[in-house]
Amino acid sequence: MNLLQKLFGSAPAKPEKRYYTFSVKCKRCGEIIEGRVDMDNDLSVEYEEGGDIFHTRKVLMGNGRCFQHVEAVFKFTQARTLIEQQATGGEFVS
Ligand SMILES: [Zn+2]
């Protein structure tokens, strides 16, 4: 591995389809924290009337001294379309 590969990593550059990325703003300190959902590994299936629902929960912490956790919950359809999102301890920003 050469130096450039070490600096920038050798992983595929744009895994956009696999990851759902989002940002939340900490309610306590206002820091914007970025997170992502790994659509291949993070989702749990839930059987609901009308079809399967995929859901996941992410707990994020900022880099600052703030100790507030922001919990984000997402629900997706089988086609990986976002149908519901909720944040505790912060709010979603786009
Ligand atoms: Zn904070």
Side-chain angles (χ1 to χ4, degrees):
M1 192 182 260
N2 67 32
L3 182 62
L4 280 177
Q5 280 174 322
K6 270 183 195 163
L7 284 174
F8 297 107
S10 54
K14 298 219 168 194
E16 279 167 13
K17 278 191 175 172
R18 181 170 168 191
Y19 298 101
Y20 173 79
T21 56
F22 62 95
S23 301
V24 289
K25 185 178 179 183
C26 176
K27 216 182 249 179
R28 190 170 176 272
C29 70
E31 183 179 346
I32 305 289
I33 310 166
E34 290 185 0
R36 67 181 185 181
V37 176
D38 183 334
M39 300 303 252
D40 285 346
N41 294 310
D42 289 349
L43 301 181
S44 315
V45 68
E46 195 173 89
Y47 300 98
E48 287 191 7
E49 235 177 291
D52 298 345
I53 298 294
F54 292 82
H55 61 97
T56 187
R57 175 192 297 173
K58 291 279 163 183
V59 178
L60 305 172
M61 258 182 95
N63 295 315
R65 275 173 289 178
C66 171
F67 50 81
Q68 172 79 49
H69 292 234
V70 182
E71 184 183 291
V73 180
F74 300 92
K75 279 188 181 179
F76 299 89
T77 65
Q78 221 166 353
R80 305 294 194 261
T81 304
L82 181 69
I83 47 173
E84 199 181 310
Q85 61 177 14
Q86 282 185 337
T88 309
E91 59 184 27
F92 288 102
V93 290
S94 48

